[in-house]
Amino acid sequence: MPVLAIVGAKDALLDSAETRCRIERLLDSGEVRHLNDAGHLILGQGPIIAEFLNSRRLRTPAVVRLTG
């Protein structure tokens, strides 16, 4: 299962560097977007998520459009 994790470098709740390393180490289809200026609340990633979902081969054709 492809996984996209978007993590903020300034996250006070989670260790984003460890999360990034763990996903890259454990998942064949894992992709991490590490945002240097973001904290725990990450806004405006709709287009990135839509691009990720649309780039994966799905069993049934689908197009995802997110705004934000």
Side-chain angles (χ1 to χ4, degrees):
M1 175 64 67
V3 173
L4 170 64
I6 303 173
V7 297
K10 297 179 180 179
D11 193 327
L13 300 176
L14 301 173
D15 183 343
S16 60
E18 173 56 30
T19 299
R20 180 183 192 175
C21 289
R22 189 171 54 249
I23 288 172
E24 290 172 345
R25 182 178 71 242
L26 297 174
L27 300 177
D28 292 334
S29 295
E31 180 181 335
V32 180
R33 300 274 176 135
H34 194 259
L35 306 178
N36 291 328
D37 294 330
H40 190 73
L41 177 63
I42 299 174
L43 302 173
Q45 298 302 301
I48 299 299
I49 296 167
E51 176 186 331
F52 175 81
L53 294 173
N54 287 326
S55 70
R56 303 298 182 244
R57 292 186 180 186
L58 303 175
R59 292 183 186 199
T60 56
V63 174
V64 178
R65 289 186 182 87
L66 300 174
T67 60

